Amino acid sequence: MRELQPLLENHGLLLLFLNVLCEQAGLPIPAYPALIVAGALAMQGVGAPLGVVLLVVVLACLLADVAWYLAGRRYGGFLLRSICKVSLSQDSCIRQSQNMYLRVGPRALLMSKFLPGASALSTTLAGMTRTHLRRFLAYDAAGSALWAGSALLLGVIFSDAVDHLLALLSDYAAIGALLIAGAFAAFIAWQLWQRQRLLSRSRRIPRISVEELENLREQGQLPVILDVRAHHEDEPSGIPGAIPVELNVSLKDLPGDLRDASIVIYCACPHELSAAMLAQRLNASGFTRTWALAGGL
């Protein structure tokens, strides 16, 4: 650790602060491994004390999260849809974080940082739903402390292993840098591949345009419409007569006998992913007249 340890001792807190701030701002730069290293160094007495590290990390989280919160209050659903468009997380994870917040409120902030892509969504939803700032700060600070504390605890428990790893990285700096860069590139590539795979599968589902749906309504042939949006106050009111359902709804819980009915599913997500996912499940179960509404709502 001859070269690496002085760097971490002298600039570790600043690097950790910037790492956490960037990740919480939405950049795909995982901070959890750095937190584990910080915990190990604190355990060995060569890094900042655990309490100081925890305070710095919580501060970085709050700075980024308050920005998302204020942006959510001002820009609402537009910002939420923009986050979904650029997120590397799968749509199911995005919906999971949305539904979790809408179901339990700001308590979701206690766990959102443990879910990929959920932190920015949850803090944005806190602003959209007009969660009181003081309440938001309390839950967000507690959630940030839980997230950071778990990583620091892992570093304390496995401090010897982390020390050995840092020594190897210091002795073989070039190889270590390549390994870290390769791991990061592999992580990004895997996320992109997963999302592209999901998009490719969703494109197999037939679409129906809003104009075509309106024509069917005018002809008195309006199909059964299922609404799989995550519902909150800032969403549009929806299509009259649509039946709200969860994305993972049990097919036996769907109303009436829909097997021979025409079904249109819509959501408010990019590429109609949620609608296409439910349509795919229905098709596989014998519901052959199923479409996703192009463009969503």
Side-chain angles (χ1 to χ4, degrees):
M1 300 176 64
R2 291 181 296 275
E3 297 86 2
L4 190 57
Q5 184 168 316
L7 175 65
L8 295 175
E9 288 181 8
N10 296 328
H11 307 290
L13 274 180
L14 176 60
L15 293 174
L16 187 62
F17 176 85
L18 293 175
N19 190 180
V20 173
L21 185 65
C22 288
E23 184 193 32
Q24 297 306 309
L27 297 178
I29 307 175
Y32 208 79
L35 287 168
I36 294 175
V37 171
L41 292 177
M43 179 65 180
Q44 297 160 13
V46 296
L50 286 173
V52 175
V53 174
L54 186 62
L55 183 62
V56 167
V57 172
V58 170
L59 177 61
C61 289
L62 287 176
L63 285 175
D65 292 347
V66 167
W68 284 118
Y69 170 86
L70 295 175
R73 287 181 69 98
R74 182 175 180 85
Y75 299 108
F78 170 77
L79 178 62
L80 189 66
R81 286 185 286 273
S82 298
I83 294 172
C84 294
K85 285 180 181 179
V86 300
S87 174
L88 294 179
S89 300
Q90 294 189 35
D91 185 69
S92 57
C93 182
I94 292 171
R95 282 192 56 84
Q96 183 182 18
S97 61
Q98 290 184 26
N99 289 330
M100 181 174 67
Y101 191 90
L102 297 172
R103 185 168 58 251
V104 304
R107 286 176 294 172
L109 296 168
L110 295 173
M111 299 302 297
S112 63
K113 285 182 170 43
F114 292 94
L115 297 174
S119 182
L121 285 165
S122 296
T123 50
T124 300
L125 281 165
M128 289 173 60
T129 54
R130 298 296 191 268
T131 301
H132 194 281
L133 180 59
R134 189 177 302 172
R135 193 176 185 212
F136 165 77
L137 289 174
Y139 277 107
D140 193 56
S144 300
L146 281 174
W147 173 72
S150 67
L152 293 173
L153 180 60
L154 287 174
V156 169
I157 295 173
F158 298 104
S159 60
D160 290 339
V162 173
D163 181 60
H164 181 63
L165 177 60
L166 289 177
L168 287 175
L169 289 176
S170 182
D171 292 337
Y172 303 97
I175 296 176
L178 287 174
L179 288 175
I180 292 173
F184 179 70
F187 169 76
I188 297 297
W190 180 79
Q191 290 277 21
L192 289 172
W193 178 79
Q194 286 279 77
R195 186 157 183 82
Q196 189 58 40
R197 178 170 169 266
L198 187 63
L199 286 172
S200 178
R201 290 171 57 188
S202 76
R203 293 190 187 104
R204 302 171 190 168
I205 300 301
R207 264 53 170 185
I208 184 172
S209 68
V210 174
E211 292 76 14
E212 290 171 325
L213 185 61
E214 179 62 20
N215 289 337
L216 289 176
R217 186 189 68 81
E218 292 175 353
Q219 297 168 15
Q221 302 175 6
L222 188 65
V224 175
I225 302 175
L226 302 181
D227 178 358
V228 293
R229 296 176 302 162
H231 298 279
H232 49 80
E233 294 177 0
D234 210 53
E235 284 285 7
S237 57
I239 298 175
I243 303 170
V245 297
E246 293 292 332
L247 178 61
N248 297 319
V249 63
S250 173
L251 299 186
K252 65 181 181 181
D253 293 334
L254 291 175
D257 185 9
L258 302 181
R259 195 167 297 276
D260 297 321
S262 297
I263 304 173
V264 173
I265 309 168
Y266 76 97
C267 61
C269 51
H271 310 291
E272 308 89 46
L273 280 176
S274 293
M277 289 167 66
L278 180 55
Q280 190 172 47
R281 286 180 57 209
L282 290 172
N283 283 342
S285 300
F287 297 79
T288 56
R289 303 175 63 189
T290 306
W291 295 266
L293 183 63
L297 190 66

